[in-house]
Each structure stands twice: as structure tokens, then as C-alpha cells.
Amino acid sequence: MKYIDEYRDRELVVKLVEQIKKRSTKQISLMEVCGGHTMSIQKFGIPSLLPDTIKLISGPGCPVCVSDRKYIDQAIAYCRLDDVIIITYGDLIRVPGSTSSLDKEKAKGADVRIVYSILDALMIAKKNRRKKVVFLGIGFETTAPSSAAGIINAQMAGLRNFYLFSSHKIMPPAMEALIDEGVNLDGYIAPGHVTTITGTSIYKNIPEKFGLGCVVSGFEPVDLLTAILMLVNQIENNDPKVEIAYTRVVKPEGNIKAQQMLDEVFELRDDWWRGLGVLPKSGLKIREKYADFDAEVQIPVEVEPTREDKGCICGEILKGIKSPKDCKLFANVCTPINPVGACMVSNEGSCHAYYKYNR
């Protein structure tokens, strides 16, 4: 198949659903760990197509959602400095900090700008040499290579006023931590864009160590149902392994050039995940050789004490042990217009997806 409408073909969807129903005999729980998958699953009504034997659970697949609130507080502290311009992708600007948010600070006069590419951030740095331009690096292995490329390009261009504030994370430690914590899972719908960069080797421990299969999926109904069928077959055959259902994009070896850039600029560090706490070697820190571009090193700032909102259960939702409808704040107090927790802000957040398609 070549065209997007083929991956939404009604007859093919019906055939896949029939195969899943015939094949699935065990009660199983499958978790998607990609915010894009969460949105697609709700948008296309995938749970309503599946037999009662299969439960889909949303995991920590939204990078904005899993990031520490302290990170937002520090970004807000940066934007309050007179000589700083904050550059960010749009889904971060409304994430609540302890007492404010970037969009509220922007309304007060802070120089906060939304871009679509780190190349835009570099251009802003070139045009504002007397300002410190801080790019907020949020995302998993999908977006981290572009941040690495930004630092490399800044060094080549002699942009000494460009800085990255990294909250980049990698996915496998969180996937393993969920199993270690006893979350009831039988398999993972693995992220397509992440695996496009990393290749499939990052998941090899999950079948070998934990006996759970991983199938990399795309984002259309046929993609997701194919991945679910492949996982059902693995479980019914007691044969957990790593497979690719998104072969038009994902290759086992991944994107070697992107991997090389990641390794050049970043090193692993322990990092905090909402709902999971500090996970060893789960975050990406800028290497010392590129410390001139590290906002945390070069721009000391006082950050207000971090506090969480009472009643917000984003952490439990991100672990898959509760759903948005279990939250007392959901849809009444916490909405996309007035978000309390990060899961409602981002388009990839579980609460946002559930609010948009299941209210």
C-alpha cells in the first residue's frame, strides 16, 4: 500500500478486526507508549472495534506530560530574565508550572516565541546576538536528534548566544520500569517515530527479560490493528518478540546518522518522570564538550519551590493504572482551555485525547 486512504480502508479494517476476534482467546492488556498512538486510538475508535478479551492502556508516551514540573518552573524563571528569549514548540507553552505558565508570562511581556523547527531558533539567535536564546528541548528519541543538530550547527556558525535546556528522555527505561512496578501488561504497541530513529534493538530486553512482546506500529487504523493482531498472535503462541508493523517507515537498524548525532552531543543521565520518579539513565544530558550551549550550565537562575496540584492524577494516568475518567478534575475543572495537569494540555496527552473524542 502506498497512499494514506489505503490505511483507512473500511474493508481491510473489518477483515483485521475479524482476524483479531478469531485469534484472541486470552484476557490481555496492551499498552501504547506513544502519544501519537494514544490520539489515533481514540480518534479512530479502536477500542470499540476490539473483542472484550483485549484492553488497551495508554502509557507515558507524551514527552510534555512526563516532564518534571520543575522544568517548567525553570523555563519560566529564564523567561523572566531581561536578556533571555525563550523558544519552544507550541504544545509546551500552556503547560502549568507551580504558579504560572509560559503563555501567562508571555502575556505579561516576556519574550517567548513558538517555532516549528530548531532552525527557526537558530535564526532568531543570529538576529538577536545581544540576547540569550534558550531553546526548550522536550521529547524522546524522535526530537532529540534535531536538538543535537541545532547545537552542532550553532557551534559551526559561532552562535555563542544559543542554548539548549534539555528535558529529552529515552523510552526503554520507562517501559521496563512499568513492568518492574507491577503494571498489568501483556505487550507493548511500540512507538513508530522513536523506532524510526533508534531501530528495534532498544526493545530487545523486554521479550528476553520480561517475556513481553513489542510491535512497532504506525498511526492509521490498519497500522494499529495490524500491530494488535501481531501481538495477539505472539501471546497466543507464547512467543514474545520484537516485530515491525510499520515497515514502510521503520527499519531494524534505524537512522544511523541521527543516532551518531545523539551520541555526539548527549550522554545518559538519571532523570525524573511524572508517575515513575527518577529512572536511571533515562534522560539526555549535554556532553561537557558542548557545555557552552547548555542553559543549565551557562545561565544560573533561581527557581521557585515546585508544587503539584491537589487532586491531579496525571502520574497514575501515565502509568496506565487509572484513566482520565477516574480523575475528579477531568472535564469539570481540568479542560484544554483551563488545564490543571500536563496530560490535558498536549495533543498527545491521554486526558486531551479522551476529552476530545470520548466526552
Side-chain angles (χ1 to χ4, degrees), residues 16-129:
L16 284 166
V17 170
E18 289 175 351
Q19 290 181 59
I20 291 169
K21 289 180 177 179
K22 288 179 181 178
R23 192 75 177 98
S24 180
T25 64
K26 302 176 181 179
Q27 292 289 334
I28 61 173
S29 296
L30 306 177
M31 175 179 280
E32 85 274 0
V33 281
C34 170
H37 284 161
T38 296
M39 184 60 73
S40 292
I41 285 169
Q42 298 303 325
K43 176 181 178 180
F44 296 117
I46 300 297
S48 66
L49 302 176
L50 299 176
D52 294 338
T53 51
I54 301 174
K55 179 181 180 182
L56 297 184
I57 304 173
S58 298
C62 168
V64 169
C65 304
V66 300
S67 295
D68 193 349
R69 177 166 276 195
K70 183 180 178 181
Y71 179 85
I72 303 298
D73 290 338
Q74 188 162 335
I76 290 169
Y78 283 144
C79 81
R80 288 171 175 169
L81 300 176
D82 292 336
D83 62 343
V84 168
I85 300 173
I86 292 290
I87 310 295
T88 180
Y89 295 133
D91 60 351
L92 192 63
I93 196 167
R94 292 193 303 111
V95 176
S98 294
T99 60
S100 187
S101 63
L102 289 170
D103 66 337
K104 289 179 180 178
E105 294 300 314
K106 180 177 175 66
K108 294 176 184 177
D111 198 343
V112 179
R113 308 186 192 184
I114 297 173
V115 297
Y116 295 99
S117 165
I118 198 167
L119 296 177
D120 297 330
L122 294 173
M123 187 61 66
I124 291 169
K126 287 179 182 178
K127 293 180 179 179
N128 296 271
R129 299 270 183 170

Side-chain angles (χ1 to χ4, degrees), residues 218-337:
F219 300 86
E220 298 300 324
V222 169
D223 292 321
L224 289 161
L225 290 168
T226 299
I228 291 168
L229 178 59
M230 292 169 75
L231 282 168
V232 167
N233 284 329
Q234 288 186 23
I235 294 165
E236 294 291 337
N237 294 333
N238 193 26
D239 183 26
K241 54 189 172 183
V242 179
E243 294 184 287
I244 303 172
Y246 196 26
T247 54
R248 66 186 184 279
V249 173
V250 176
K251 307 301 179 187
E253 68 277 11
N255 186 320
I256 302 299
K257 187 173 183 179
Q259 294 167 27
Q260 290 171 342
M261 282 195 297
L262 279 175
D263 187 57
E264 167 68 17
V265 174
F266 293 109
E267 60 184 344
L268 293 175
R269 67 175 173 187
D270 299 348
D271 211 341
W272 188 94
W273 294 62
R274 190 181 302 274
L276 293 170
V278 176
L279 299 182
K281 296 183 178 180
S282 65
L284 294 176
K285 175 185 178 182
I286 299 171
R287 290 187 183 275
E288 188 174 350
K289 66 187 291 187
Y290 292 104
D292 288 348
F293 304 96
D294 190 339
E296 293 181 85
V297 174
Q298 301 299 333
I299 311 177
V301 67
E302 185 174 344
V303 183
E304 63 184 304
T306 299
R307 64 173 178 82
E308 299 290 343
D309 289 290
K310 293 181 179 179
C312 179
I313 61 169
C314 275
E316 294 167 285
I317 291 171
L318 288 164
K319 287 198 294 186
I321 60 177
K322 289 192 177 179
S323 71
K325 64 182 180 181
D326 297 320
C327 180
K328 295 180 179 179
L329 305 179
F330 177 77
N332 293 318
V333 178
C334 183
T335 67
I337 297 174

Side-chain angles (χ1 to χ4, degrees), residues 130-146:
R130 295 184 180 181
K131 294 278 190 177
K132 297 174 181 176
V133 176
V134 178
F135 182 79
L136 303 183
I138 289 274
F140 301 126
E141 295 95 332
T142 308
T143 55
S146 65

Side-chain angles (χ1 to χ4, degrees), residues 174-212:
M175 295 170 72
E176 295 189 20
L178 288 167
I179 304 169
D180 283 333
E181 288 203 7
V183 178
N184 183 29
L185 298 176
D186 299 285
Y188 277 117
I189 301 172
H193 293 153
V194 164
T195 317
T196 301
I197 301 297
T198 65
T200 54
S201 63
I202 63 169
Y203 309 118
K204 66 179 183 179
N205 281 347
I206 295 176
E208 294 175 2
K209 184 178 178 181
F210 301 102
L212 269 67

